[in-house]
Amino acid sequence: EQYLQGMHRATFAGFAPAENPRAVVVVSFDKARRNGTGGGAVAAPCFSRVMAETLRLLRVAPSDLRVADAGEGGMGGRS
């Protein structure tokens, strides 16, 4: 494959739910040209939609997401 100026491959991968994974999704776009070049700007929005629909079809209930506060050894945030 030839290198093309201004063309990028954007990839984003993840699994869910975090504590007991039921699905793995990888999204990769060749020749990505959207508002950024990284996977976070280009592929992550698509990943989010695909994973949400996958978990809905698998009937996986949403996780109880709680972020540890600084007093619990976490990096801070809301609890």
Side-chain angles (χ1 to χ4, degrees):
E1 187 173 328
Q2 181 179 350
Y3 174 80
L4 298 173
Q5 184 87 19
M7 298 294 194
H8 305 276
R9 176 173 290 138
T11 303
F12 193 92
F15 58 89
E19 293 178 1
N20 184 20
R22 298 276 314 275
V24 174
V25 173
V26 178
V27 175
S28 185
F29 291 108
D30 283 339
K31 302 177 184 172
R33 290 192 244 169
R34 193 170 166 212
N35 299 336
T37 58
V42 179
C46 181
F47 166 88
S48 177
R49 291 188 297 272
V50 171
M51 182 60 84
E53 183 65 8
T54 299
L55 295 175
R56 185 189 72 77
L57 291 170
L58 292 174
R59 298 178 184 204
V60 176
S63 297
D64 180 19
L65 300 176
R66 285 182 266 167
V67 178
D69 66 24
E72 295 178 8
M75 296 183 64
R78 293 177 277 185
S79 57

